[in-house]
Amino acid sequence: MGELHIIAIANQKGGVGKTTTAVNLSASLAMAGHPVILVDLDAQGNASTGLGVGQERRVRTTFDLLAGSDGVDDIALQTEIPNLWLVPATSDLSSAEIELSQVPDRVRILRKKLKSS
């Protein structure tokens, strides 16, 4: 695989289009032939819903990625869009901050998991 590029879409304010931007950018890049993994980091799971991944398919989620030993390849689901995989989210993600509060170097967990995939 080629070089890994990580794009983060972040803003503290709600309702500014973060999820819409992430879903549309991911889908556009995938449709252009680039392999894309979208990591849904919102406990509401709106990116997961937006990509058509229902609750019944969200067996392993971003919570498992951040707080467990699962890697991206273990969790990512193929979406209906070729080249686009999703690490889905559920409301369990809201407890990740508490679960990870004592983990050393917790701010780099996601980066490490993404680079190891």
Side-chain angles (χ1 to χ4, degrees):
M1 187 190 314
E3 184 180 347
L4 172 68
H5 297 278
I6 297 173
I7 300 172
I9 300 166
N11 190 323
Q12 282 185 306
K13 185 170 179 347
V16 296
K18 298 180 296 285
T19 299
T20 301
T21 300
V23 169
N24 289 327
L25 180 59
S26 297
S28 296
L29 288 168
M31 290 182 344
H34 302 282
V36 176
I37 300 173
L38 175 59
V39 180
D40 190 350
L41 287 169
D42 179 5
Q44 292 178 335
N46 290 328
S48 301
T49 301
L51 287 172
V53 176
Q55 291 289 333
E56 70 283 353
R57 289 189 61 204
R58 302 181 204 182
V59 177
R60 291 188 285 185
T61 66
T62 44
F63 178 82
D64 300 300
L65 180 66
L66 296 171
S69 60
D70 290 338
V72 172
D73 295 336
D74 301 319
I75 299 171
L77 303 172
Q78 174 69 59
T79 68
E80 293 181 12
I81 300 170
N83 297 316
L84 179 55
W85 290 265
L86 169 74
V87 177
T90 62
S91 59
D92 290 350
L93 187 58
S94 60
S95 64
E97 187 173 352
I98 295 166
E99 291 281 330
L100 299 172
S101 64
Q102 301 302 313
V103 174
D105 206 24
R106 67 184 170 275
V107 297
R108 291 186 180 81
I109 292 172
L110 182 58
R111 175 183 288 266
K112 289 177 183 176
K113 295 275 183 135
L114 291 172
K115 286 191 173 191
S116 68
S117 65

